[in-house]
Amino acid sequence: PKAGGNDALADMCDGLFRADEVDSGAEEAYDNAFEEAVGGGFGAVRIRAVYEDDEDPDDERQRIRIEPIYDADSCVFFDLDAKRQDKADAKHAFLLSFMTRDAYIAEWDDDPKTWPKDISLSEFDWGQNGDQVVVAEYYLVEATSDESRLFRGVAGDERRILRSEIDNDPGLASELSATGYAEDVSRRKRIKTRRVHKYLMSGGGILEDCGYIAGANIPIVPAYGKRWMVDGIERCMGHVRLAKDPQRLKNMQLSKLAELSASSGTEKPIFVPEQVAGHQVMWQEDNIKNYPYLLVNPITDATGNPSPASPVGYTKPPQIPPAMAALLQLTEQDMQDILGNQQGADKVVSNISGEAVEMIHDRMDMQTFIYVSNFAKTVRRVGEVWLSMARELYVEEGRKMKTVGTQDELSTVVIGAPGKDPETGATIATNDLARAKFDVVVDVGPSSSSKRKSTVRSLVKMLSVAPDPETSKVLSSLVMMNMEGEGIADAREFYRKQLVQIGVLQPTKEEAEAMANAQQEPDPNFILASALAEEANAKAMKARADAVSIAAEVEKTRAETMEILAGLREKAREAAMRTVQELAQMAQGQNIPPAGPGVQ
């Protein structure tokens, strides 16, 4: 996002862009452009809007496609005043295509022989006299200025309307006035607009006016190998340009070496005519019929005695000059220095760590980093052109579109779905690409497969030093999430859900909705556990009540016992008092002295 916020909308645009890349086979376009840029110095891709369903007359929805441009260095031409590498400042561009003469006449009903003869063909041949006819797509940027005006309503709402809209619709000003809108003159603003006009043309003139295309940018993006500006003129070069001279020298040396090896590869015997007289055919056909032996005639010496019939001598095969051998070695070394020595990366040495292999690959990547960096600018420009087109094409409310995530996960978004503004709380249309004002950023690095393997190695090392079981569980789940292989997609999704539930990963929109629904609909196991807990609680309460009741009965029995004991003691006391009184009366009658203090 340019001004912060709208991260969700930026992620959605990223997913839509990846989905368009997948659906349009953009990999082929990228590979072709990169190959031509590295090989010849210049390549290109194009971005085009096509109907989603060509056979349905009522379906006007469009999708964006990224397509290859083959042989771009001979069919793509930009404005010579454009200085930027991505040609964002170009005012016009040409894209040439070639048709046979018969196909051109059948499609456009135009014979190249009728074209004006005063056209000079010294620099470019449109196919007037050849078997092929050139048809050019001509893109012209039309920049205009306009004025934005602000109107305020009686309810405090605001509307921005362009002056051109008011000029084109005379009743619009009256309508605004009648509905209570008044212009705030102090809020006028001059703005600039860009539109791209497309034409089809040939050597005879304009074939078709295609009108304005979606977006505000020329939908052709160049890719350069190496690029310079020399005296105001653009120069480009591929990776093989500097190796052409050593390659020519090597080709010459190999040709000479082939001639030497083909001239005479084996030694041949030398005979006098008398030795092979009558056996010439046998010697001639030996290479074809491979005779088991060969015959020669005996010869005599000066005295007339026969002598051994051995060859007079042997021919010698040609020798490779030492200078040629040395030059071949130097030429091969020069080509390796220019193109890069691939031997170090191709060798798989035993007992070498994965980190060492990655370091070797990183060293090789540095030799070609300029090409990867330049192509990253191409991909970034493709994203900018795509975003400009998507703002005008992906606007249908309620349209469901596929998105692709960074790990190739698929999801669906709804354009213009109702939602709430996180700041104001008002109901707004979400996923509105008309509000998509973003900066496009490209990361240059290993492929997703290489990054996952490196991530797995790092996580496995961290498992050995994990401080607690919870951390080990998180690390092992991350390892399973980044594993690649056949049939483990469901397992990866399972571990992702676990990490989302414990708060390690942020849930996607679909996962958040599923979690919310799961909270609204209790799990049957949770219901059963709750019922069992309530039953146990009820039994515990009943047990406590029974214990209280038993304690109350015990207290009651104790109280009754105390009451009974108290009654017994009172009766015993009364009986003792009566006995004492009776004894006192008897003592008074018999004059018995009272008992001492020790008598009870």
Side-chain angles (χ1 to χ4, degrees), residues 576-599:
M577 290 297 295
R578 285 195 299 271
T579 301
V580 170
Q581 290 176 359
E582 291 176 356
L583 291 175
Q585 291 176 0
M586 292 176 62
Q588 290 177 359
Q590 297 178 4
N591 295 323
I592 297 175
V599 180

Side-chain angles (χ1 to χ4, degrees), residues 29-39 43-45 223-225 368 371-373 375:
Y30 292 154
D31 290 345
N32 177 75
F34 187 77
E35 179 70 22
E36 293 188 1
V38 173
V45 298
Y224 290 91
T368 58
Y371 304 109
V372 179
S373 177
F375 195 72

Side-chain angles (χ1 to χ4, degrees), residues 280-464:
Q280 298 91 334
V281 176
M282 176 180 286
W283 282 89
Q284 291 174 359
E285 295 179 348
D286 181 49
N287 289 335
I288 300 175
K289 297 184 178 181
N290 192 20
Y291 291 113
Y293 58 86
L294 297 173
L295 300 177
V296 295
N297 299 321
I299 60 175
T300 58
D301 56 14
T303 62
N305 296 321
S307 63
S310 59
V312 177
Y314 291 91
T315 61
K316 296 295 183 181
Q319 299 293 328
I320 299 178
M324 178 180 291
L327 194 57
L328 275 172
Q329 185 176 0
L330 291 176
T331 303
E332 187 68 26
Q333 184 62 40
D334 288 343
M335 294 185 63
Q336 289 183 1
D337 292 341
I338 295 173
L339 300 178
N341 188 0
Q342 304 293 326
Q343 298 177 1
D346 293 341
K347 292 180 180 179
V348 180
V349 184
S350 61
N351 299 327
I352 185 172
S353 64
E355 290 81 358
V357 175
E358 290 182 356
M359 291 176 63
I360 294 174
H361 289 170
D362 292 340
R363 182 179 178 183
M364 291 191 59
D365 291 341
M366 291 303 298
Q367 298 177 350
T368 58
F369 179 76
I370 182 62
Y371 304 109
V372 179
S373 177
N374 284 341
F375 195 72
K377 300 174 185 176
T378 299
V379 177
R380 181 184 63 189
R381 182 59 182 169
V382 170
E384 293 173 352
V385 176
W386 178 92
L387 183 60
S388 177
M389 298 176 68
R391 290 196 192 104
E392 300 184 16
L393 297 178
Y394 299 160
V395 295
E396 301 90 347
E397 292 188 5
R399 179 180 179 181
K400 295 183 178 180
M401 301 189 69
K402 177 180 69 175
T403 62
V404 178
T406 56
Q407 295 187 354
D408 298 334
E409 63 272 17
L410 300 178
S411 59
T412 304
V413 297
V414 180
I415 303 298
K420 289 187 177 181
D421 190 343
E423 297 181 358
T424 63
T427 302
I428 59 173
T430 60
N431 301 333
D432 184 9
L433 267 71
R435 300 184 295 111
K437 296 182 180 180
F438 302 116
D439 293 323
V440 180
V441 181
V442 176
D443 257 343
V444 177
S447 63
S448 59
S449 176
S450 301
K451 288 191 290 187
R452 286 182 181 180
K453 293 178 181 178
S454 178
T455 301
V456 169
R457 286 196 297 268
S458 300
L459 291 174
V460 170
K461 291 181 180 179
M462 293 176 63
L463 275 173
S464 61

Side-chain angles (χ1 to χ4, degrees), residues 550-565:
I550 293 173
E553 291 293 334
V554 171
E555 290 294 331
K556 180 180 178 183
T557 303
R558 181 181 301 172
E560 290 177 351
T561 302
M562 294 297 295
E563 183 179 358
I564 292 172
L565 292 175

Side-chain angles (χ1 to χ4, degrees), residues 246-291:
Q247 184 66 52
R248 291 190 183 102
L249 185 58
K250 183 178 180 180
N251 292 342
M252 181 269 292
Q253 296 165 7
L254 292 178
S255 299
K256 184 62 177 178
L257 186 61
E259 292 177 2
L260 293 176
S261 63
S263 61
S264 179
T266 59
E267 294 182 349
K268 295 181 180 180
I270 302 173
F271 296 100
V272 296
E274 291 82 0
Q275 288 179 290
V276 294
H279 307 295
Q280 298 91 334
V281 176
M282 176 180 286
W283 282 89
Q284 291 174 359
E285 295 179 348
D286 181 49
N287 289 335
I288 300 175
K289 297 184 178 181
N290 192 20
Y291 291 113

